[in-house]
Amino acid sequence: DILTYGLPWAFPGWVEGPGSTHEIYEGNPFKRPDLTARYVTKWLECARDVHGIMIDYIGLWNESTQKGIETYAKMLRKKLDGQGFQTTKIVARDDNDGVCEDLNNDAEYKAAVHAVGLHYPNDYPTGSII
């Protein structure tokens, strides 16, 4: 079997809200997690409905530590479940081992996320995620 993984590297400016500018929202698509979750869900729908590809894993945002990513992950999980993507698994940010502490401190965030992404094999020092 071939598993598929989508990982956003950028988001269009409109996911930050109508009339927004990067100065107002500091380029953070998680200021409006509802719009960002809708955008990603629509992308998944296009992959499935137009191209016949079911995405198995979806990442939050490549190398992102943006404020609000935890809220976005929770909202994305709810949106995915509501739109028929219950089997699509969320991969938490591939930033540093701090994400593991964030997951352990927030039960809803931990429940929304299936795995933690690694950008490089040495991102997490030995024993840091145990």
Side-chain angles (χ1 to χ4, degrees):
D1 291 341
I2 296 173
L3 298 177
T4 56
Y5 177 31
L7 178 61
W9 277 48
F11 292 97
W14 62 260
V15 299
E16 296 171 2
S20 71
T21 66
H22 288 299
E23 290 77 32
I24 295 171
Y25 288 101
E26 301 169 0
N28 184 351
F30 308 130
K31 292 269 185 173
R32 292 290 310 272
D34 55 325
L35 291 176
T36 307
R38 184 172 54 145
Y39 171 76
V40 169
T41 303
K42 288 293 186 185
W43 182 83
L44 291 168
E45 287 175 355
C46 179
R48 179 191 63 197
D49 300 344
V50 175
H51 302 288
I53 300 169
M54 188 66 174
I55 305 298
D56 298 295
Y57 296 89
I58 189 75
L60 299 177
W61 192 9
N62 184 52
E63 297 183 316
S64 178
T65 58
Q66 290 282 359
K67 185 175 181 172
I69 200 166
E70 297 87 355
T71 300
Y72 165 65
K74 295 180 239 183
M75 183 164 287
L76 180 61
R77 178 75 272 153
K78 289 176 186 171
K79 185 78 168 167
L80 294 176
D81 291 346
Q83 296 299 117
F85 293 98
Q86 296 89 344
T87 61
T88 300
K89 297 170 179 69
I90 295 175
V91 180
R93 66 178 191 254
D94 62 342
D95 172 50
N96 60 47
D97 62 351
V99 66
C100 298
E101 185 176 332
D102 294 343
L103 288 165
N104 283 326
N105 291 332
D106 186 334
E108 187 181 2
Y109 181 33
K110 187 174 184 176
V113 169
H114 175 77
V116 173
L118 291 175
H119 196 80
Y120 299 106
N122 63 347
D123 277 353
Y124 301 94
T126 302
S128 69
I129 58 173
I130 297 174

Short mmCIF file of all heavy atoms in Angstrom, two decimals, residues 71-129:
data_model
loop_
_atom_site.label_atom_id
_atom_site.label_comp_id
_atom_site.label_asym_id
_atom_site.label_seq_id
_atom_site.Cartn_x
_atom_site.Cartn_y
_atom_site.Cartn_z
N THR A 71 -4.76 25.17 18.83
CA THR A 71 -6.19 25.41 18.60
C THR A 71 -6.57 24.99 17.20
O THR A 71 -7.62 24.38 16.98
CB THR A 71 -6.52 26.89 18.83
OG1 THR A 71 -6.17 27.24 20.17
CG2 THR A 71 -7.98 27.19 18.59
N TYR A 72 -5.72 25.32 16.24
CA TYR A 72 -5.97 24.92 14.85
C TYR A 72 -6.03 23.40 14.72
O TYR A 72 -6.93 22.87 14.05
CB TYR A 72 -4.88 25.50 13.94
CG TYR A 72 -4.84 24.86 12.58
CD1 TYR A 72 -5.90 25.00 11.68
CD2 TYR A 72 -3.75 24.09 12.20
CE1 TYR A 72 -5.86 24.39 10.44
CE2 TYR A 72 -3.71 23.49 10.94
CZ TYR A 72 -4.76 23.65 10.07
OH TYR A 72 -4.73 23.04 8.84
N ALA A 73 -5.12 22.67 15.35
CA ALA A 73 -5.12 21.21 15.26
C ALA A 73 -6.43 20.62 15.78
O ALA A 73 -7.00 19.71 15.17
CB ALA A 73 -3.93 20.63 16.04
N LYS A 74 -6.91 21.17 16.88
CA LYS A 74 -8.18 20.68 17.45
C LYS A 74 -9.34 20.98 16.51
O LYS A 74 -10.22 20.13 16.30
CB LYS A 74 -8.41 21.32 18.81
CG LYS A 74 -7.39 20.90 19.86
CD LYS A 74 -7.69 21.58 21.18
CE LYS A 74 -6.53 22.41 21.64
NZ LYS A 74 -6.75 23.04 22.95
N MET A 75 -9.36 22.18 15.95
CA MET A 75 -10.42 22.56 15.04
C MET A 75 -10.35 21.74 13.75
O MET A 75 -11.38 21.31 13.23
CB MET A 75 -10.35 24.05 14.71
CG MET A 75 -11.48 24.51 13.83
SD MET A 75 -11.66 26.28 13.83
CE MET A 75 -12.35 26.53 15.46
N LEU A 76 -9.14 21.52 13.26
CA LEU A 76 -8.97 20.72 12.05
C LEU A 76 -9.50 19.30 12.26
O LEU A 76 -10.19 18.76 11.41
CB LEU A 76 -7.50 20.69 11.62
CG LEU A 76 -7.18 19.88 10.38
CD1 LEU A 76 -7.92 20.42 9.15
CD2 LEU A 76 -5.67 19.85 10.13
N ARG A 77 -9.21 18.71 13.41
CA ARG A 77 -9.70 17.35 13.69
C ARG A 77 -11.22 17.32 13.63
O ARG A 77 -11.82 16.42 13.05
CB ARG A 77 -9.19 16.89 15.06
CG ARG A 77 -9.67 15.53 15.49
CD ARG A 77 -8.97 14.38 14.78
NE ARG A 77 -9.65 14.01 13.54
CZ ARG A 77 -9.05 13.45 12.49
NH1 ARG A 77 -7.78 13.17 12.49
NH2 ARG A 77 -9.74 13.16 11.40
N LYS A 78 -11.87 18.30 14.24
CA LYS A 78 -13.33 18.35 14.24
C LYS A 78 -13.87 18.53 12.82
O LYS A 78 -14.84 17.89 12.43
CB LYS A 78 -13.82 19.48 15.15
CG LYS A 78 -13.60 19.19 16.62
CD LYS A 78 -13.99 20.37 17.48
CE LYS A 78 -13.61 20.11 18.92
NZ LYS A 78 -13.77 21.27 19.76
N LYS A 79 -13.24 19.41 12.07
CA LYS A 79 -13.66 19.67 10.69
C LYS A 79 -13.47 18.41 9.83
O LYS A 79 -14.36 18.06 9.06
CB LYS A 79 -12.86 20.84 10.12
CG LYS A 79 -13.29 21.28 8.76
CD LYS A 79 -14.54 22.12 8.83
CE LYS A 79 -14.80 22.79 7.50
NZ LYS A 79 -16.12 23.36 7.45
N LEU A 80 -12.33 17.76 9.97
CA LEU A 80 -12.08 16.53 9.21
C LEU A 80 -13.12 15.47 9.53
O LEU A 80 -13.67 14.83 8.63
CB LEU A 80 -10.68 16.00 9.49
CG LEU A 80 -9.50 16.85 9.03
CD1 LEU A 80 -8.18 16.22 9.48
CD2 LEU A 80 -9.51 17.06 7.53
N ASP A 81 -13.39 15.28 10.81
CA ASP A 81 -14.37 14.28 11.23
C ASP A 81 -15.76 14.60 10.66
O ASP A 81 -16.48 13.71 10.22
CB ASP A 81 -14.44 14.18 12.75
CG ASP A 81 -13.19 13.57 13.36
OD1 ASP A 81 -12.37 12.98 12.62
OD2 ASP A 81 -13.02 13.70 14.59
N GLY A 82 -16.12 15.89 10.67
CA GLY A 82 -17.43 16.30 10.18
C GLY A 82 -17.58 16.23 8.66
O GLY A 82 -18.71 16.20 8.15
N GLN A 83 -16.47 16.20 7.94
CA GLN A 83 -16.52 16.19 6.47
C GLN A 83 -16.16 14.82 5.88
O GLN A 83 -15.87 14.72 4.70
CB GLN A 83 -15.58 17.26 5.92
CG GLN A 83 -15.96 18.67 6.29
CD GLN A 83 -17.33 19.07 5.76
OE1 GLN A 83 -18.22 19.36 6.53
NE2 GLN A 83 -17.51 19.06 4.45
N GLY A 84 -16.14 13.79 6.71
CA GLY A 84 -15.90 12.44 6.20
C GLY A 84 -14.44 12.02 6.13
O GLY A 84 -14.10 11.06 5.44
N PHE A 85 -13.57 12.72 6.84
CA PHE A 85 -12.14 12.39 6.83
C PHE A 85 -11.68 11.86 8.19
O PHE A 85 -10.61 12.20 8.68
CB PHE A 85 -11.31 13.62 6.44
CG PHE A 85 -11.53 14.05 5.02
CD1 PHE A 85 -12.40 15.08 4.73
CD2 PHE A 85 -10.88 13.41 3.98
CE1 PHE A 85 -12.62 15.48 3.42
CE2 PHE A 85 -11.08 13.79 2.67
CZ PHE A 85 -11.97 14.83 2.39
N GLN A 86 -12.50 11.00 8.79
CA GLN A 86 -12.17 10.44 10.10
C GLN A 86 -10.88 9.63 10.07
O GLN A 86 -10.19 9.53 11.09
CB GLN A 86 -13.32 9.56 10.61
CG GLN A 86 -14.60 10.29 10.86
CD GLN A 86 -15.51 10.35 9.63
OE1 GLN A 86 -15.09 10.11 8.50
NE2 GLN A 86 -16.76 10.72 9.85
N THR A 87 -10.54 9.05 8.93
CA THR A 87 -9.34 8.22 8.85
C THR A 87 -8.07 9.02 8.51
O THR A 87 -6.98 8.47 8.56
CB THR A 87 -9.50 7.09 7.82
OG1 THR A 87 -9.71 7.66 6.52
CG2 THR A 87 -10.66 6.18 8.20
N THR A 88 -8.23 10.29 8.15
CA THR A 88 -7.06 11.13 7.88
C THR A 88 -6.45 11.53 9.21
O THR A 88 -7.13 12.10 10.07
CB THR A 88 -7.43 12.37 7.06
OG1 THR A 88 -7.98 11.94 5.81
CG2 THR A 88 -6.22 13.25 6.80
N LYS A 89 -5.19 11.23 9.39
CA LYS A 89 -4.51 11.45 10.66
C LYS A 89 -3.71 12.76 10.62
O LYS A 89 -3.10 13.08 9.61
CB LYS A 89 -3.60 10.27 10.97
CG LYS A 89 -4.36 8.98 11.16
CD LYS A 89 -3.43 7.79 11.22
CE LYS A 89 -4.17 6.50 11.43
NZ LYS A 89 -4.97 6.09 10.30
N ILE A 90 -3.72 13.46 11.72
CA ILE A 90 -2.99 14.73 11.84
C ILE A 90 -1.60 14.48 12.39
O ILE A 90 -1.43 13.77 13.38
CB ILE A 90 -3.76 15.72 12.73
CG1 ILE A 90 -5.10 16.09 12.06
CG2 ILE A 90 -2.93 16.97 13.01
CD1 ILE A 90 -6.00 16.96 12.93
N VAL A 91 -0.62 15.12 11.75
CA VAL A 91 0.76 15.06 12.21
C VAL A 91 1.12 16.42 12.79
O VAL A 91 1.00 17.44 12.12
CB VAL A 91 1.73 14.70 11.04
CG1 VAL A 91 3.16 14.65 11.53
CG2 VAL A 91 1.32 13.37 10.42
N ALA A 92 1.57 16.42 14.05
CA ALA A 92 1.92 17.68 14.73
C ALA A 92 3.16 18.28 14.11
O ALA A 92 3.91 17.63 13.38
CB ALA A 92 2.14 17.43 16.22
N ARG A 93 3.40 19.51 14.44
CA ARG A 93 4.49 20.29 13.84
C ARG A 93 5.84 19.59 13.94
O ARG A 93 6.14 18.90 14.91
CB ARG A 93 4.56 21.66 14.48
CG ARG A 93 4.96 21.64 15.95
CD ARG A 93 5.05 23.05 16.49
NE ARG A 93 5.67 23.08 17.77
CZ ARG A 93 5.02 23.28 18.90
NH1 ARG A 93 3.72 23.47 18.89
NH2 ARG A 93 5.66 23.31 20.04
N ASP A 94 6.65 19.83 12.97
CA ASP A 94 8.00 19.23 12.92
C ASP A 94 9.02 20.29 13.31
O ASP A 94 9.87 20.67 12.53
CB ASP A 94 8.29 18.67 11.52
CG ASP A 94 8.27 19.72 10.43
OD1 ASP A 94 7.72 20.81 10.65
OD2 ASP A 94 8.82 19.45 9.37
N ASP A 95 8.91 20.74 14.52
CA ASP A 95 9.74 21.85 14.95
C ASP A 95 10.82 21.42 15.93
O ASP A 95 11.99 21.41 15.62
CB ASP A 95 8.84 22.92 15.57
CG ASP A 95 9.61 24.03 16.22
OD1 ASP A 95 10.50 24.57 15.57
OD2 ASP A 95 9.33 24.32 17.39
N ASN A 96 10.42 21.07 17.12
CA ASN A 96 11.38 20.65 18.14
C ASN A 96 10.64 19.79 19.16
O ASN A 96 9.44 19.62 19.07
CB ASN A 96 12.05 21.86 18.80
CG ASN A 96 11.05 22.78 19.47
OD1 ASN A 96 10.17 22.35 20.20
ND2 ASN A 96 11.17 24.07 19.18
N ASP A 97 11.36 19.28 20.13
CA ASP A 97 10.73 18.36 21.07
C ASP A 97 9.77 19.04 22.04
O ASP A 97 9.07 18.37 22.78
CB ASP A 97 11.78 17.53 21.83
CG ASP A 97 12.72 18.37 22.66
OD1 ASP A 97 12.70 19.61 22.55
OD2 ASP A 97 13.51 17.77 23.41
N GLY A 98 9.65 20.37 22.01
CA GLY A 98 8.67 21.07 22.84
C GLY A 98 7.25 20.68 22.50
O GLY A 98 6.36 20.77 23.34
N VAL A 99 7.02 20.23 21.28
CA VAL A 99 5.68 19.81 20.88
C VAL A 99 5.21 18.64 21.74
O VAL A 99 4.02 18.53 22.05
CB VAL A 99 5.61 19.47 19.38
CG1 VAL A 99 6.44 18.25 19.04
CG2 VAL A 99 4.18 19.27 18.93
N CYS A 100 6.12 17.78 22.15
CA CYS A 100 5.73 16.63 22.97
C CYS A 100 5.21 17.08 24.34
O CYS A 100 4.20 16.55 24.82
CB CYS A 100 6.91 15.68 23.13
SG CYS A 100 7.47 15.02 21.55
N GLU A 101 5.85 18.07 24.90
CA GLU A 101 5.36 18.63 26.17
C GLU A 101 4.00 19.29 25.97
O GLU A 101 3.10 19.13 26.79
CB GLU A 101 6.37 19.63 26.72
CG GLU A 101 5.99 20.15 28.08
CD GLU A 101 7.05 21.07 28.67
OE1 GLU A 101 8.24 20.92 28.33
OE2 GLU A 101 6.67 21.95 29.46
N ASP A 102 3.85 20.02 24.86
CA ASP A 102 2.56 20.65 24.56
C ASP A 102 1.45 19.60 24.46
O ASP A 102 0.35 19.80 24.98
CB ASP A 102 2.62 21.44 23.26
CG ASP A 102 3.56 22.63 23.32
OD1 ASP A 102 3.92 23.06 24.45
OD2 ASP A 102 3.95 23.13 22.25
N LEU A 103 1.73 18.50 23.79
CA LEU A 103 0.74 17.44 23.66
C LEU A 103 0.40 16.82 25.01
O LEU A 103 -0.77 16.55 25.30
CB LEU A 103 1.26 16.36 22.70
CG LEU A 103 1.30 16.75 21.23
CD1 LEU A 103 2.16 15.77 20.45
CD2 LEU A 103 -0.10 16.81 20.64
N ASN A 104 1.40 16.59 25.83
CA ASN A 104 1.16 15.99 27.14
C ASN A 104 0.40 16.91 28.09
O ASN A 104 -0.24 16.44 29.02
CB ASN A 104 2.47 15.54 27.78
CG ASN A 104 2.97 14.25 27.17
OD1 ASN A 104 2.19 13.40 26.79
ND2 ASN A 104 4.29 14.12 27.06
N ASN A 105 0.47 18.21 27.84
CA ASN A 105 -0.21 19.18 28.70
C ASN A 105 -1.61 19.54 28.23
O ASN A 105 -2.30 20.31 28.89
CB ASN A 105 0.62 20.46 28.83
CG ASN A 105 1.89 20.23 29.63
OD1 ASN A 105 1.95 19.36 30.50
ND2 ASN A 105 2.92 20.99 29.32
N ASP A 106 -2.04 19.02 27.10
CA ASP A 106 -3.34 19.37 26.54
C ASP A 106 -3.99 18.10 25.97
O ASP A 106 -3.66 17.67 24.86
CB ASP A 106 -3.16 20.43 25.45
CG ASP A 106 -4.47 20.96 24.90
OD1 ASP A 106 -5.51 20.26 24.94
OD2 ASP A 106 -4.45 22.10 24.39
N ALA A 107 -4.90 17.52 26.73
CA ALA A 107 -5.50 16.24 26.35
C ALA A 107 -6.26 16.33 25.03
O ALA A 107 -6.21 15.38 24.22
CB ALA A 107 -6.44 15.75 27.46
N GLU A 108 -6.93 17.44 24.77
CA GLU A 108 -7.68 17.56 23.51
C GLU A 108 -6.73 17.66 22.32
O GLU A 108 -6.99 17.07 21.26
CB GLU A 108 -8.59 18.79 23.56
CG GLU A 108 -9.52 18.89 22.37
CD GLU A 108 -10.41 20.12 22.41
OE1 GLU A 108 -10.31 20.94 23.33
OE2 GLU A 108 -11.21 20.26 21.46
N TYR A 109 -5.65 18.39 22.48
CA TYR A 109 -4.63 18.50 21.43
C TYR A 109 -4.02 17.12 21.16
O TYR A 109 -3.88 16.70 20.01
CB TYR A 109 -3.58 19.51 21.87
CG TYR A 109 -2.45 19.80 20.91
CD1 TYR A 109 -2.61 19.78 19.54
CD2 TYR A 109 -1.19 20.13 21.40
CE1 TYR A 109 -1.55 20.07 18.68
CE2 TYR A 109 -0.13 20.43 20.56
CZ TYR A 109 -0.32 20.40 19.19
OH TYR A 109 0.73 20.69 18.36
N LYS A 110 -3.70 16.42 22.23
CA LYS A 110 -3.11 15.08 22.11
C LYS A 110 -4.07 14.12 21.40
O LYS A 110 -3.65 13.32 20.56
CB LYS A 110 -2.74 14.56 23.49
CG LYS A 110 -1.97 13.26 23.49
CD LYS A 110 -1.53 12.89 24.89
CE LYS A 110 -0.68 11.65 24.91
NZ LYS A 110 -0.19 11.34 26.27
N ALA A 111 -5.36 14.23 21.70
CA ALA A 111 -6.35 13.36 21.06
C ALA A 111 -6.51 13.68 19.57
O ALA A 111 -6.80 12.79 18.78
CB ALA A 111 -7.69 13.49 21.77
N ALA A 112 -6.29 14.93 19.20
CA ALA A 112 -6.45 15.35 17.80
C ALA A 112 -5.29 14.88 16.93
O ALA A 112 -5.46 14.67 15.73
CB ALA A 112 -6.58 16.87 17.72
N VAL A 113 -4.13 14.73 17.53
CA VAL A 113 -2.90 14.44 16.79
C VAL A 113 -2.57 12.95 16.83
O VAL A 113 -2.64 12.33 17.88
CB VAL A 113 -1.74 15.28 17.37
CG1 VAL A 113 -0.40 14.83 16.83
CG2 VAL A 113 -1.97 16.76 17.10
N HIS A 114 -2.18 12.41 15.68
CA HIS A 114 -1.81 11.00 15.60
C HIS A 114 -0.31 10.78 15.81
O HIS A 114 0.11 9.79 16.39
CB HIS A 114 -2.22 10.43 14.24
CG HIS A 114 -1.77 9.03 14.02
ND1 HIS A 114 -2.39 7.95 14.58
CD2 HIS A 114 -0.73 8.54 13.30
CE1 HIS A 114 -1.78 6.85 14.22
NE2 HIS A 114 -0.76 7.17 13.44
N ALA A 115 0.50 11.72 15.30
CA ALA A 115 1.95 11.55 15.32
C ALA A 115 2.63 12.91 15.36
O ALA A 115 2.02 13.93 15.08
CB ALA A 115 2.42 10.77 14.09
N VAL A 116 3.89 12.89 15.69
CA VAL A 116 4.73 14.09 15.67
C VAL A 116 5.69 13.94 14.50
O VAL A 116 6.33 12.90 14.34
CB VAL A 116 5.52 14.25 16.99
CG1 VAL A 116 6.51 15.40 16.90
CG2 VAL A 116 4.55 14.46 18.14
N GLY A 117 5.77 14.98 13.68
CA GLY A 117 6.67 14.94 12.54
C GLY A 117 8.10 15.28 12.93
O GLY A 117 8.34 16.05 13.85
N LEU A 118 9.03 14.68 12.24
CA LEU A 118 10.45 14.99 12.41
C LEU A 118 10.95 15.64 11.13
O LEU A 118 10.78 15.09 10.05
CB LEU A 118 11.27 13.72 12.65
CG LEU A 118 11.08 13.00 13.96
CD1 LEU A 118 11.89 11.71 13.96
CD2 LEU A 118 11.51 13.88 15.12
N HIS A 119 11.53 16.80 11.25
CA HIS A 119 12.09 17.45 10.07
C HIS A 119 13.45 16.83 9.75
O HIS A 119 13.77 16.57 8.61
CB HIS A 119 12.20 18.95 10.30
CG HIS A 119 12.41 19.71 9.04
ND1 HIS A 119 11.37 20.03 8.18
CD2 HIS A 119 13.52 20.20 8.46
CE1 HIS A 119 11.84 20.68 7.15
NE2 HIS A 119 13.14 20.80 7.29
N TYR A 120 14.23 16.62 10.78
CA TYR A 120 15.53 15.96 10.65
C TYR A 120 15.60 14.87 11.71
O TYR A 120 15.04 15.02 12.79
CB TYR A 120 16.68 16.95 10.86
CG TYR A 120 16.68 18.08 9.86
CD1 TYR A 120 16.27 19.36 10.22
CD2 TYR A 120 17.08 17.87 8.54
CE1 TYR A 120 16.25 20.40 9.31
CE2 TYR A 120 17.06 18.90 7.62
CZ TYR A 120 16.65 20.16 8.00
OH TYR A 120 16.63 21.17 7.09
N PRO A 121 16.30 13.78 11.46
CA PRO A 121 16.36 12.68 12.43
C PRO A 121 16.89 13.10 13.80
O PRO A 121 16.57 12.49 14.79
CB PRO A 121 17.29 11.67 11.77
CG PRO A 121 17.21 11.96 10.31
CD PRO A 121 16.98 13.45 10.20
N ASN A 122 17.70 14.14 13.86
CA ASN A 122 18.27 14.54 15.15
C ASN A 122 17.48 15.67 15.80
O ASN A 122 17.98 16.32 16.73
CB ASN A 122 19.74 14.93 14.98
CG ASN A 122 19.91 16.14 14.06
OD1 ASN A 122 18.98 16.53 13.37
ND2 ASN A 122 21.09 16.71 14.06
N ASP A 123 16.25 15.93 15.36
CA ASP A 123 15.44 17.00 15.96
C ASP A 123 15.13 16.74 17.43
O ASP A 123 14.93 17.67 18.20
CB ASP A 123 14.13 17.16 15.21
CG ASP A 123 14.26 18.01 13.97
OD1 ASP A 123 15.34 18.58 13.75
OD2 ASP A 123 13.28 18.09 13.22
N TYR A 124 15.03 15.51 17.80
CA TYR A 124 14.64 15.15 19.16
C TYR A 124 15.77 14.37 19.81
O TYR A 124 16.02 13.22 19.44
CB TYR A 124 13.35 14.31 19.15
CG TYR A 124 12.22 15.07 18.50
CD1 TYR A 124 11.93 14.92 17.15
CD2 TYR A 124 11.44 15.97 19.23
CE1 TYR A 124 10.91 15.63 16.55
CE2 TYR A 124 10.42 16.68 18.64
CZ TYR A 124 10.17 16.51 17.31
OH TYR A 124 9.16 17.22 16.70
N PRO A 125 16.46 14.98 20.76
CA PRO A 125 17.57 14.28 21.42
C PRO A 125 17.08 12.97 22.04
O PRO A 125 15.92 12.85 22.44
CB PRO A 125 18.00 15.25 22.52
CG PRO A 125 17.49 16.58 22.08
CD PRO A 125 16.24 16.31 21.29
N THR A 126 17.95 12.01 22.10
CA THR A 126 17.62 10.70 22.65
C THR A 126 16.96 10.84 24.01
O THR A 126 17.46 11.51 24.90
CB THR A 126 18.90 9.85 22.79
OG1 THR A 126 19.51 9.76 21.52
CG2 THR A 126 18.58 8.46 23.31
N GLY A 127 15.81 10.22 24.14
CA GLY A 127 15.07 10.22 25.41
C GLY A 127 14.20 11.43 25.65
O GLY A 127 13.44 11.46 26.61
N SER A 128 14.25 12.43 24.80
CA SER A 128 13.52 13.66 25.07
C SER A 128 12.01 13.51 24.88
O SER A 128 11.26 14.33 25.37
CB SER A 128 14.03 14.81 24.21
OG SER A 128 13.70 14.59 22.85
N ILE A 129 11.57 12.52 24.13
CA ILE A 129 10.15 12.38 23.88
C ILE A 129 9.54 11.20 24.62
O ILE A 129 8.42 10.85 24.41
CB ILE A 129 9.85 12.29 22.37
CG1 ILE A 129 10.57 11.11 21.72
CG2 ILE A 129 10.21 13.58 21.68
CD1 ILE A 129 10.18 10.87 20.27
#
